[in-house]
Protein backbone atom coordinates (compact mmCIF):
# COMPACT_ATOMS: atom_id res chain seq x y z
CA UNK A 1 0.00 0.00 0.00
CA UNK A 2 2.79 2.35 -0.99
CA UNK A 3 0.52 5.05 -2.45
CA UNK A 4 -1.11 5.80 0.91
CA UNK A 5 -0.03 8.25 3.57
CA UNK A 6 0.80 7.06 7.09
CA UNK A 7 -0.99 8.86 9.93
CA UNK A 8 -0.89 8.35 13.72
CA UNK A 9 -3.90 7.28 15.77
CA UNK A 10 -2.87 8.21 19.30
CA UNK A 11 -0.08 7.66 21.75
CA UNK A 12 -0.92 4.02 22.39
CA UNK A 13 -1.32 0.85 20.41
CA UNK A 14 -4.91 0.02 19.57
CA UNK A 15 -5.37 -3.75 19.50
CA UNK A 16 -7.42 -5.32 16.69
CA UNK A 17 -10.25 -6.55 18.93
CA UNK A 18 -10.64 -3.05 20.41
CA UNK A 19 -10.52 -1.48 16.95
CA UNK A 20 -13.16 -3.86 15.59
CA UNK A 21 -15.62 -2.98 18.37
CA UNK A 22 -15.26 0.70 17.45
CA UNK A 23 -15.38 0.14 13.69
CA UNK A 24 -18.62 -1.81 14.03
CA UNK A 25 -20.39 1.48 14.80
CA UNK A 26 -19.82 2.44 11.15
CA UNK A 27 -21.11 1.09 7.87
CA UNK A 28 -19.69 -2.09 6.38
CA UNK A 29 -17.00 -2.61 9.04
CA UNK A 30 -14.23 -5.13 8.48
CA UNK A 31 -11.17 -6.60 10.12
CA UNK A 32 -8.66 -8.63 8.11
CA UNK A 33 -7.24 -10.25 11.16
CA UNK A 34 -3.67 -11.42 11.61
CA UNK A 35 -4.53 -12.86 14.99
CA UNK A 36 -1.69 -15.40 15.09
CA UNK A 37 1.61 -16.20 13.45
CA UNK A 38 1.39 -19.40 11.44
CA UNK A 39 3.79 -20.24 8.65
CA UNK A 40 5.02 -16.65 8.56
CA UNK A 41 1.54 -15.22 7.96
CA UNK A 42 -0.52 -13.06 10.26
CA UNK A 43 1.78 -10.17 11.09
CA UNK A 44 -0.63 -7.39 10.08
CA UNK A 45 -4.29 -6.69 10.78
CA UNK A 46 -6.28 -4.19 8.71
CA UNK A 47 -9.63 -2.66 9.62
CA UNK A 48 -12.02 -0.04 8.39
CA UNK A 49 -15.60 1.12 7.95
CA UNK A 50 -17.67 3.65 5.98
CA UNK A 51 -16.51 2.85 2.42
CA UNK A 52 -16.61 5.69 -0.11
CA UNK A 53 -17.22 3.36 -3.08
CA UNK A 54 -18.82 -0.03 -3.71
CA UNK A 55 -18.55 -2.60 -6.49
CA UNK A 56 -20.82 -5.63 -6.93
CA UNK A 57 -21.34 -8.13 -9.76
CA UNK A 58 -23.95 -10.88 -9.92
CA UNK A 59 -22.07 -12.71 -12.71
CA UNK A 60 -23.60 -14.83 -15.44
CA UNK A 61 -24.33 -18.49 -14.72
CA UNK A 62 -23.25 -21.13 -17.23
CA UNK A 63 -20.35 -21.41 -19.69
CA UNK A 64 -18.65 -18.52 -21.45
CA UNK A 65 -20.16 -17.51 -24.80
CA UNK A 66 -18.61 -18.91 -27.97
CA UNK A 67 -17.09 -21.95 -26.27
CA UNK A 68 -14.27 -19.90 -24.72
CA UNK A 69 -12.01 -21.83 -22.41
CA UNK A 70 -9.86 -21.17 -19.40
CA UNK A 71 -7.37 -18.88 -21.12
CA UNK A 72 -10.05 -16.29 -21.85
CA UNK A 73 -10.41 -13.30 -19.58
CA UNK A 74 -14.02 -13.52 -18.47
CA UNK A 75 -15.91 -10.22 -18.72
CA UNK A 76 -16.76 -10.09 -14.98
CA UNK A 77 -13.10 -10.24 -14.05
CA UNK A 78 -12.23 -7.58 -16.61
CA UNK A 79 -14.98 -5.38 -15.20
CA UNK A 80 -13.55 -5.89 -11.73
CA UNK A 81 -10.04 -5.01 -12.90
CA UNK A 82 -11.27 -1.87 -14.65
CA UNK A 83 -13.25 -0.77 -11.61
CA UNK A 84 -10.30 -1.15 -9.27
CA UNK A 85 -8.07 0.76 -11.69
CA UNK A 86 -10.61 3.58 -11.59
CA UNK A 87 -10.59 3.59 -7.79
CA UNK A 88 -6.94 4.63 -7.81
CA UNK A 89 -5.47 4.59 -4.28
CA UNK A 90 -8.62 3.30 -2.56
CA UNK A 91 -8.27 -0.03 -0.75
CA UNK A 92 -10.84 -2.55 -1.97
CA UNK A 93 -11.97 -5.06 0.67
CA UNK A 94 -14.53 -7.79 0.29
CA UNK A 95 -15.64 -11.12 -1.06
CA UNK A 96 -15.14 -13.08 -4.26
CA UNK A 97 -17.48 -16.06 -4.06
CA UNK A 98 -16.90 -19.58 -5.33
CA UNK A 99 -19.00 -18.81 -8.41
CA UNK A 100 -16.36 -16.42 -9.71
CA UNK A 101 -14.75 -19.65 -10.95
CA UNK A 102 -17.83 -20.34 -13.06
CA UNK A 103 -17.19 -17.14 -15.00
CA UNK A 104 -13.86 -18.69 -16.07
CA UNK A 105 -14.48 -22.40 -16.59
CA UNK A 106 -16.85 -24.16 -19.01
CA UNK A 107 -19.37 -25.93 -16.82
CA UNK A 108 -22.92 -27.13 -17.44
CA UNK A 109 -25.73 -25.06 -15.89
CA UNK A 110 -26.70 -25.99 -12.34
CA UNK A 111 -30.07 -26.74 -10.85
CA UNK A 112 -28.88 -26.36 -7.25
CA UNK A 113 -30.56 -23.64 -5.15
CA UNK A 114 -28.72 -20.58 -3.86
CA UNK A 115 -30.13 -20.35 -0.35
CA UNK A 116 -27.77 -17.60 0.87
CA UNK A 117 -28.28 -15.00 -1.84
CA UNK A 118 -24.95 -13.22 -1.33
CA UNK A 119 -23.41 -11.46 -4.31
CA UNK A 120 -20.53 -13.35 -5.98
CA UNK A 121 -18.38 -10.20 -6.13
CA UNK A 122 -18.97 -7.70 -3.34
CA UNK A 123 -16.31 -5.08 -2.55
CA UNK A 124 -16.15 -1.79 -0.68
CA UNK A 125 -13.61 0.93 -1.45
CA UNK A 126 -12.04 2.56 1.62
CA UNK A 127 -10.02 5.79 1.67
CA UNK A 128 -8.56 5.02 5.12
CA UNK A 129 -7.73 1.80 6.96
CA UNK A 130 -6.43 0.96 10.41
CA UNK A 131 -3.29 -1.22 10.50
CA UNK A 132 -1.81 -3.04 13.46
CA UNK A 133 1.63 -4.67 13.41
CA UNK A 134 1.57 -7.64 15.78
CA UNK A 135 5.39 -7.79 15.90
CA UNK A 136 6.15 -4.14 16.74
CA UNK A 137 2.75 -3.55 18.44
CA UNK A 138 2.38 -0.33 16.43
CA UNK A 139 -1.01 0.91 15.24
CA UNK A 140 -1.49 3.50 12.50
CA UNK A 141 -3.81 4.73 9.79
CA UNK A 142 -3.10 4.34 6.07
CA UNK A 143 -5.13 6.89 4.13
CA UNK A 144 -5.45 8.82 0.88
CA UNK A 145 -5.55 12.17 2.72
CA UNK A 146 -5.46 13.82 6.12
CA UNK A 147 -9.22 14.32 5.94
CA UNK A 148 -9.81 10.62 5.35
CA UNK A 149 -7.42 9.71 8.16
CA UNK A 150 -9.17 12.18 10.47
CA UNK A 151 -12.58 10.60 9.91
CA UNK A 152 -11.26 7.15 10.75
CA UNK A 153 -9.26 8.48 13.69
CA UNK A 154 -12.40 9.94 15.24
CA UNK A 155 -14.02 6.52 14.98
CA UNK A 156 -11.07 4.86 16.67
CA UNK A 157 -10.74 7.42 19.47
CA UNK A 158 -14.42 7.45 20.40
CA UNK A 159 -15.38 6.10 23.84
CA UNK A 160 -15.44 2.30 23.62
CA UNK A 161 -18.85 0.64 23.38
CA UNK A 162 -19.99 -1.41 26.37
CA UNK A 163 -18.82 -5.00 26.27
CA UNK A 164 -21.57 -7.41 25.33
CA UNK A 165 -21.79 -11.14 25.82
CA UNK A 166 -22.81 -13.46 23.04
CA UNK A 167 -25.95 -14.56 24.85
CA UNK A 168 -27.45 -17.97 24.29
CA UNK A 169 -26.61 -19.54 20.94
CA UNK A 170 -28.73 -22.25 19.40
CA UNK A 171 -27.68 -25.88 19.26
CA UNK A 172 -25.44 -26.83 16.35
CA UNK A 173 -26.69 -29.39 13.85
CA UNK A 174 -25.33 -30.81 10.62
CA UNK A 175 -27.61 -30.31 7.61
CA UNK A 176 -26.35 -33.59 6.11
CA UNK A 177 -26.37 -36.82 8.09
CA UNK A 178 -23.20 -38.83 8.51
CA UNK A 179 -24.72 -41.68 6.48
CA UNK A 180 -25.57 -39.37 3.58
CA UNK A 181 -22.13 -37.73 3.59
CA UNK A 182 -20.46 -41.15 3.59
CA UNK A 183 -22.67 -42.15 0.64
CA UNK A 184 -21.42 -39.11 -1.28
CA UNK A 185 -17.82 -39.99 -0.43
CA UNK A 186 -18.37 -43.48 -1.82
CA UNK A 187 -19.83 -41.93 -4.98
CA UNK A 188 -16.71 -39.79 -5.35
CA UNK A 189 -14.57 -42.91 -5.01
CA UNK A 190 -16.54 -44.49 -7.86
CA UNK A 191 -15.62 -41.52 -10.04
CA UNK A 192 -12.00 -41.85 -8.99
CA UNK A 193 -11.94 -45.54 -9.85
CA UNK A 194 -13.49 -44.75 -13.24
CA UNK A 195 -10.63 -42.33 -13.97
CA UNK A 196 -12.74 -39.15 -14.00
CA UNK A 197 -10.35 -37.37 -11.63
CA UNK A 198 -7.72 -37.87 -8.94
CA UNK A 199 -9.24 -35.88 -6.09
CA UNK A 200 -12.51 -34.10 -5.25
CA UNK A 201 -13.06 -31.72 -2.35
CA UNK A 202 -16.48 -32.60 -0.91
CA UNK A 203 -18.23 -30.39 1.64
CA UNK A 204 -21.28 -30.21 3.85
CA UNK A 205 -22.70 -27.61 6.23
CA UNK A 206 -23.58 -27.17 9.87
CA UNK A 207 -25.96 -24.54 11.18
CA UNK A 208 -27.13 -22.93 14.43
CA UNK A 209 -29.50 -20.22 15.55
CA UNK A 210 -27.35 -17.09 15.92
CA UNK A 211 -28.72 -13.55 15.81
CA UNK A 212 -26.84 -11.05 13.66
CA UNK A 213 -26.07 -8.92 16.74
CA UNK A 214 -24.33 -11.97 18.24
CA UNK A 215 -21.88 -12.17 15.33
CA UNK A 216 -19.37 -9.70 16.77
CA UNK A 217 -19.03 -11.23 20.27
CA UNK A 218 -18.91 -14.67 18.68
CA UNK A 219 -16.08 -13.61 16.38
CA UNK A 220 -14.14 -12.03 19.26
CA UNK A 221 -14.50 -15.27 21.20
CA UNK A 222 -13.38 -17.29 18.16
CA UNK A 223 -10.22 -15.22 17.63
CA UNK A 224 -9.37 -15.43 21.34
CA UNK A 225 -9.82 -19.21 21.56
CA UNK A 226 -8.43 -20.25 18.16
CA UNK A 227 -6.53 -17.36 16.54
CA UNK A 228 -5.83 -17.72 12.82
CA UNK A 229 -3.31 -15.90 10.60
CA UNK A 230 -5.89 -14.87 7.97
CA UNK A 231 -9.07 -14.46 9.95
CA UNK A 232 -11.68 -11.89 9.02
CA UNK A 233 -14.85 -10.15 10.14
CA UNK A 234 -16.86 -8.43 7.40
CA UNK A 235 -20.35 -7.02 7.60
CA UNK A 236 -21.85 -6.79 4.13
CA UNK A 237 -24.59 -4.43 3.00
CA UNK A 238 -28.18 -5.62 3.56
CA UNK A 239 -29.51 -7.46 0.49
CA UNK A 240 -32.83 -5.62 0.92
CA UNK A 241 -33.58 -2.11 2.14
CA UNK A 242 -34.14 -2.20 5.87
CA UNK A 243 -33.13 -5.84 6.14
CA UNK A 244 -30.36 -7.32 8.31
CA UNK A 245 -26.79 -7.15 7.05
CA UNK A 246 -25.10 -10.54 6.56
CA UNK A 247 -21.80 -11.02 8.39
CA UNK A 248 -18.84 -13.18 7.40
CA UNK A 249 -16.77 -14.70 10.21
CA UNK A 250 -13.57 -16.31 8.97
CA UNK A 251 -10.96 -18.36 10.78
CA UNK A 252 -8.98 -19.13 7.62
CA UNK A 253 -5.34 -20.25 7.68
CA UNK A 254 -4.94 -20.60 3.89
CA UNK A 255 -3.41 -18.04 1.53
CA UNK A 256 -4.92 -18.24 -1.95
CA UNK A 257 -3.09 -15.28 -3.44
CA UNK A 258 -0.48 -12.66 -2.65
CA UNK A 259 0.56 -10.63 -5.69
CA UNK A 260 2.75 -7.54 -6.04
CA UNK A 261 1.89 -5.07 -8.80
CA UNK A 262 4.50 -2.42 -7.90
CA UNK A 263 7.61 -1.87 -5.82
CA UNK A 264 10.72 -4.01 -5.37
CA UNK A 265 8.74 -7.26 -5.58
CA UNK A 266 6.92 -6.30 -8.78
CA UNK A 267 5.42 -9.33 -10.50
CA UNK A 268 5.88 -11.81 -7.66
CA UNK A 269 2.91 -14.02 -6.84
CA UNK A 270 2.47 -16.76 -4.25
CA UNK A 271 -0.15 -19.27 -3.13
CA UNK A 272 0.07 -21.66 -0.16
CA UNK A 273 -2.15 -24.73 -0.53
CA UNK A 274 -3.16 -26.74 2.53
CA UNK A 275 -3.87 -30.47 2.25
CA UNK A 276 -3.56 -32.97 5.06
CA UNK A 277 -5.15 -32.56 8.50
CA UNK A 278 -4.94 -34.06 11.97
CA UNK A 279 -6.63 -32.89 15.15
CA UNK A 280 -4.65 -31.38 18.02
CA UNK A 281 -4.52 -33.15 21.37
CA UNK A 282 -4.14 -31.46 24.78
CA UNK A 283 -1.58 -34.07 25.81
CA UNK A 284 1.81 -32.99 24.37
CA UNK A 285 3.01 -36.52 23.67
CA UNK A 286 -0.18 -37.55 21.87
CA UNK A 287 -0.24 -34.23 20.02
CA UNK A 288 3.33 -34.77 18.83
CA UNK A 289 2.46 -38.29 17.71
CA UNK A 290 -0.51 -37.02 15.68
CA UNK A 291 1.71 -34.47 13.96
CA UNK A 292 4.33 -37.08 13.16
CA UNK A 293 1.66 -39.43 11.80
CA UNK A 294 0.37 -36.72 9.49
CA UNK A 295 3.84 -35.82 8.25
CA UNK A 296 4.61 -39.46 7.45
CA UNK A 297 1.21 -40.46 6.01
CA UNK A 298 1.48 -41.59 2.38
CA UNK A 299 -2.19 -40.87 1.65
CA UNK A 300 -2.00 -37.28 2.94
CA UNK A 301 1.24 -36.55 1.08
CA UNK A 302 -0.21 -37.87 -2.16
CA UNK A 303 -3.34 -35.76 -1.67
CA UNK A 304 -1.15 -32.74 -0.98
CA UNK A 305 1.13 -33.18 -3.97
CA UNK A 306 -1.84 -33.47 -6.35
CA UNK A 307 -2.96 -29.98 -5.37
CA UNK A 308 0.55 -28.53 -5.44
CA UNK A 309 0.93 -29.80 -9.02
CA UNK A 310 -2.46 -28.33 -9.92
CA UNK A 311 -1.47 -24.91 -8.58
CA UNK A 312 1.91 -25.06 -10.33
CA UNK A 313 -0.04 -25.53 -13.54
CA UNK A 314 -2.51 -22.75 -12.68
CA UNK A 315 0.24 -20.22 -11.98
CA UNK A 316 2.15 -21.41 -15.04
CA UNK A 317 -0.59 -19.97 -17.23
CA UNK A 318 0.36 -16.41 -16.24
CA UNK A 319 4.02 -16.86 -15.27
CA UNK A 320 7.36 -16.26 -16.91
CA UNK A 321 8.62 -19.59 -18.25
CA UNK A 322 10.80 -21.32 -15.67
CA UNK A 323 9.79 -19.01 -12.82
CA UNK A 324 7.24 -21.32 -11.17
CA UNK A 325 8.68 -23.15 -8.19
CA UNK A 326 7.24 -25.13 -5.32
CA UNK A 327 8.63 -26.48 -2.08
CA UNK A 328 10.29 -29.87 -2.46
CA UNK A 329 8.25 -31.24 0.44
CA UNK A 330 5.32 -29.96 2.52
CA UNK A 331 5.92 -28.52 5.95
CA UNK A 332 3.93 -29.07 9.12
CA UNK A 333 1.97 -26.05 10.39
CA UNK A 334 0.15 -26.33 13.71
CA UNK A 335 -2.92 -24.23 14.57
CA UNK A 336 -4.89 -24.27 17.84
CA UNK A 337 -7.24 -27.08 16.75
CA UNK A 338 -5.47 -28.80 13.83
CA UNK A 339 -2.14 -29.79 12.29
CA UNK A 340 -1.81 -29.17 8.54
CA UNK A 341 0.56 -29.87 5.68
CA UNK A 342 1.37 -26.66 3.77
CA UNK A 343 3.45 -25.82 0.71
CA UNK A 344 4.34 -22.57 -1.07
CA UNK A 345 4.05 -22.18 -4.83
CA UNK A 346 5.65 -19.03 -6.24
CA UNK A 347 6.07 -17.48 -9.65
CA UNK A 348 6.90 -14.27 -11.50
CA UNK A 349 4.03 -12.92 -13.56
CA UNK A 350 4.42 -12.32 -17.28
CA UNK A 351 4.78 -8.63 -18.13
CA UNK A 352 1.37 -7.14 -18.75
CA UNK A 353 -0.43 -9.67 -16.55
CA UNK A 354 -3.39 -8.01 -14.89
CA UNK A 355 -5.55 -8.90 -11.95
CA UNK A 356 -8.17 -10.46 -14.23
CA UNK A 357 -5.57 -12.85 -15.72
CA UNK A 358 -4.35 -13.84 -12.29
CA UNK A 359 -7.80 -14.48 -10.83
CA UNK A 360 -8.82 -16.41 -13.96
CA UNK A 361 -5.78 -18.66 -13.48
CA UNK A 362 -6.38 -19.41 -9.80
CA UNK A 363 -10.16 -19.32 -9.26
CA UNK A 364 -11.59 -21.30 -7.64
CA UNK A 365 -8.73 -22.51 -5.47
CA UNK A 366 -7.38 -25.95 -6.31
CA UNK A 367 -7.36 -27.15 -2.72
CA UNK A 368 -11.14 -26.69 -2.42
CA UNK A 369 -12.05 -28.18 -5.81
CA UNK A 370 -9.78 -31.08 -6.79
CA UNK A 371 -7.85 -32.34 -9.78
CA UNK A 372 -8.47 -32.04 -12.64
CA UNK A 373 -10.28 -28.91 -11.56
CA UNK A 374 -13.15 -28.72 -14.07
CA UNK A 375 -14.24 -32.35 -13.68
CA UNK A 376 -13.97 -32.04 -9.88
CA UNK A 377 -16.23 -28.96 -10.01
CA UNK A 378 -18.79 -30.90 -12.06
CA UNK A 379 -18.85 -33.67 -9.44
CA UNK A 380 -19.17 -31.07 -6.68
CA UNK A 381 -22.18 -29.59 -8.50
CA UNK A 382 -23.74 -33.07 -8.66
CA UNK A 383 -23.20 -34.13 -5.05
CA UNK A 384 -23.50 -30.95 -2.96
CA UNK A 385 -27.19 -30.06 -2.58
CA UNK A 386 -26.84 -26.24 -2.55
CA UNK A 387 -24.55 -23.76 -4.21
CA UNK A 388 -21.43 -22.89 -2.29
CA UNK A 389 -21.91 -19.14 -2.59
CA UNK A 390 -19.32 -17.39 -0.39
CA UNK A 391 -17.92 -20.66 0.93
CA UNK A 392 -14.57 -21.59 -0.69
CA UNK A 393 -14.36 -18.29 -2.47
CA UNK A 394 -11.86 -15.72 -1.21
CA UNK A 395 -11.84 -12.75 1.15
CA UNK A 396 -9.20 -10.04 1.33
CA UNK A 397 -8.00 -6.76 -0.13
CA UNK A 398 -6.75 -5.18 -3.33
CA UNK A 399 -4.68 -2.01 -3.43
CA UNK A 400 -2.84 -0.25 -6.24
CA UNK A 401 0.31 -2.21 -5.37
CA UNK A 402 -0.73 -5.43 -3.64
CA UNK A 403 -3.46 -8.07 -3.61
CA UNK A 404 -3.91 -10.55 -0.77
CA UNK A 405 -6.74 -13.08 -0.59
CA UNK A 406 -7.43 -15.85 1.90
CA UNK A 407 -9.53 -18.85 0.95
CA UNK A 408 -12.93 -18.85 2.64
CA UNK A 409 -12.36 -22.07 4.55
CA UNK A 410 -13.35 -22.23 8.25
CA UNK A 411 -15.68 -19.38 7.31
CA UNK A 412 -19.24 -18.86 8.50
CA UNK A 413 -22.11 -16.65 7.33
CA UNK A 414 -24.56 -15.16 9.82
CA UNK A 415 -27.80 -13.95 8.27
CA UNK A 416 -31.52 -14.18 9.05
CA UNK A 417 -30.71 -15.25 12.63
CA UNK A 418 -28.81 -18.32 11.45
CA UNK A 419 -25.13 -19.24 11.25
CA UNK A 420 -24.00 -21.53 8.45
CA UNK A 421 -20.52 -23.06 8.29
CA UNK A 422 -19.25 -25.29 5.47
CA UNK A 423 -16.60 -27.93 6.15
CA UNK A 424 -15.08 -30.55 3.90
CA UNK A 425 -11.98 -32.32 2.69
CA UNK A 426 -10.20 -33.80 -0.28
CA UNK A 427 -11.36 -37.29 -1.28
CA UNK A 428 -8.79 -39.58 -2.90
CA UNK A 429 -8.74 -43.34 -3.50
CA UNK A 430 -7.16 -43.89 -0.10
CA UNK A 431 -10.02 -42.10 1.66
CA UNK A 432 -12.51 -43.94 3.87
CA UNK A 433 -15.95 -42.36 4.34
CA UNK A 434 -15.95 -42.47 8.15
CA UNK A 435 -12.50 -40.86 8.41
CA UNK A 436 -13.52 -38.13 5.98
CA UNK A 437 -16.57 -37.33 8.12
CA UNK A 438 -14.38 -37.17 11.22
CA UNK A 439 -11.98 -34.79 9.45
CA UNK A 440 -14.83 -32.37 8.78
CA UNK A 441 -15.70 -32.44 12.49
CA UNK A 442 -12.09 -31.61 13.31
CA UNK A 443 -12.17 -28.64 10.92
CA UNK A 444 -15.32 -27.33 12.60
CA UNK A 445 -13.76 -27.61 16.07
CA UNK A 446 -12.72 -23.94 16.43
CA UNK A 447 -16.25 -22.70 15.74
CA UNK A 448 -17.80 -25.41 17.92
CA UNK A 449 -15.60 -24.39 20.84
CA UNK A 450 -16.40 -20.72 20.40
CA UNK A 451 -20.13 -21.48 20.28
CA UNK A 452 -20.16 -23.92 23.18
Amino acid sequence: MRHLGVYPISGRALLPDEALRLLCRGERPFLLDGAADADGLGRYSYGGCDPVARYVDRLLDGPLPGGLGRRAQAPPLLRLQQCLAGWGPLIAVGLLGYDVGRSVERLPPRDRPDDLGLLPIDLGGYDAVYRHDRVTEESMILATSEDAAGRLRRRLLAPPPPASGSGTLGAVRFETSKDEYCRRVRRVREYLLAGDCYQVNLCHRLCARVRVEQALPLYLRLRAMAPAPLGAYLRLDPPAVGGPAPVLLSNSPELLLRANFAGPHLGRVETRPIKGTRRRDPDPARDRALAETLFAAEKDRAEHLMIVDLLRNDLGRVAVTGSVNADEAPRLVSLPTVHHLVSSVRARMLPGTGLADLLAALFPGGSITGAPKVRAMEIIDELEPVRRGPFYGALGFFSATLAELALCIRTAVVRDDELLLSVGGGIVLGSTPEEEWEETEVKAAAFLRAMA
Side-chain angles (χ1 to χ4, degrees):
M1 300 186 183
R2 292 163 56 87
H3 297 302
L4 300 173
V6 179
Y7 301 89
I9 299 175
S10 67
R12 71 177 185 91
L14 183 65
L15 296 177
D17 57 343
E18 300 175 88
L20 180 57
R21 290 189 183 96
L22 294 160
L23 294 169
C24 278
R25 288 172 163 169
E27 298 297 319
R28 201 181 169 96
F30 76 88
L31 180 68
L32 302 179
D33 192 4
D37 175 47
D39 197 32
L41 300 173
R43 175 171 178 174
Y44 295 105
S45 295
Y46 298 93
C49 62
D50 304 322
V52 297
R54 187 174 178 224
Y55 180 77
V56 300
D57 197 324
R58 295 183 181 277
L59 306 183
L60 297 173
D61 202 8
L64 293 172
L68 299 178
R70 184 179 185 84
R71 290 294 301 228
Q73 290 182 346
L77 295 180
L78 285 175
R79 291 196 295 269
L80 171 63
Q81 179 177 302
Q82 291 160 1
C83 171
L84 296 182
W87 281 6
L90 296 184
I91 302 103
V93 176
L95 170 72
L96 303 182
Y98 176 83
D99 281 343
V100 169
R102 300 188 69 88
S103 70
V104 178
E105 304 290 5
R106 294 189 64 196
L107 292 164
R110 292 163 304 176
D111 59 359
R112 299 307 192 199
D114 176 11
D115 62 343
L116 292 176
L118 302 189
L119 293 165
I121 300 179
D122 192 341
L123 301 173
Y126 299 79
D127 58 3
V129 297
Y130 152 90
R131 187 180 81 176
H132 180 74
D133 185 330
R134 195 174 42 78
V135 174
T136 66
E137 298 185 349
E138 294 178 317
S139 302
M140 63 191 68
I141 292 173
L142 307 178
T144 59
S145 69
E146 176 59 59
D147 285 346
R151 289 194 300 273
L152 182 58
R153 185 184 296 113
R154 287 189 289 275
R155 285 278 190 202
L156 296 172
L157 294 180
S164 61
S166 61
T168 302
L169 304 177
V172 177
R173 66 177 180 85
F174 287 98
E175 292 186 330
T176 301
S177 69
K178 179 179 178 179
D179 287 346
E180 172 58 20
Y181 186 75
C182 289
R183 183 196 70 79
R184 295 175 192 169
V185 172
R186 287 191 291 271
R187 181 62 179 137
V188 170
R189 294 190 77 254
E190 290 173 2
Y191 280 122
L192 300 178
L193 286 167
D196 283 56
C197 47
Y198 308 109
Q199 181 176 167
V200 175
N201 195 83
L202 186 66
C203 306
H204 66 111
R205 301 193 315 195
L206 58 84
C207 62
R209 297 292 294 175
V210 175
R211 299 190 307 277
V212 171
E213 60 267 26
Q214 294 176 301
L216 175 59
L218 175 59
Y219 179 74
L220 294 174
R221 182 174 171 84
L222 175 68
R223 76 182 301 274
M225 297 181 69
L230 298 169
Y233 177 100
L234 173 63
R235 187 200 303 156
L236 299 170
D237 296 305
V241 177
V247 182
L248 298 177
L249 313 178
S250 181
N251 199 46
S252 178
E254 184 165 356
L255 179 71
L256 172 67
L257 168 66
R258 178 182 287 160
N260 292 270
F261 296 102
H265 302 299
L266 171 66
R268 294 187 186 177
V269 60
E270 179 183 12
T271 183
R272 297 191 187 183
I274 291 175
K275 274 294 165 193
T277 303
R278 291 290 187 279
R279 66 175 179 86
R280 298 295 305 268
D281 193 286
D283 178 80
R286 289 196 296 267
D287 188 59
R288 193 162 49 248
L290 286 165
E292 292 170 353
T293 299
L294 171 62
F295 199 70
E298 183 177 343
K299 176 258 185 185
D300 293 277
R301 281 185 167 250
E303 180 183 335
H304 187 93
L305 289 174
M306 290 177 195
I307 301 306
V308 169
D309 284 344
L310 173 63
L311 288 170
R312 285 168 57 97
N313 183 66
D314 283 352
L315 280 185
R317 299 174 187 275
V318 293
V320 173
T321 302
S323 71
V324 180
N325 65 85
D327 298 331
E328 291 186 5
R331 56 192 175 273
L332 183 75
V333 175
S334 297
L335 299 165
T337 59
V338 291
H339 299 291
H340 279 313
L341 295 180
V342 182
S343 288
S344 294
V345 184
R346 305 178 183 88
R348 193 168 72 255
M349 289 181 282
L350 286 165
T353 298
L355 180 63
D357 301 288
L358 194 52
L359 292 175
L362 284 174
F363 244 86
S367 65
I368 48 78
T369 50
K373 185 182 284 186
V374 174
R375 183 64 183 122
M377 292 174 70
E378 291 173 348
I379 295 170
I380 288 167
D381 281 353
E382 174 193 332
L383 295 178
E384 294 185 10
V386 293
R387 300 190 187 194
R388 288 183 166 187
F391 301 125
Y392 311 107
L395 199 159
F397 73 85
F398 305 96
S399 74
T401 59
L402 182 67
E404 185 169 294
L405 296 173
L407 268 178
C408 289
I409 61 172
R410 325 288 154 80
T411 298
V413 176
V414 180
R415 76 349 159 211
D416 296 337
D417 290 338
E418 184 178 45
L419 177 143
L420 290 164
L421 172 71
S422 184
V423 288
I427 312 301
V428 295
L429 271 177
S431 299
T432 61
E434 291 74 16
E435 288 178 351
E436 293 300 327
W437 172 268
E438 290 168 3
E439 182 174 316
T440 67
E441 292 180 312
V442 168
K443 290 174 178 176
F447 271 92
L448 294 176
R449 288 183 188 178
M451 295 173 68

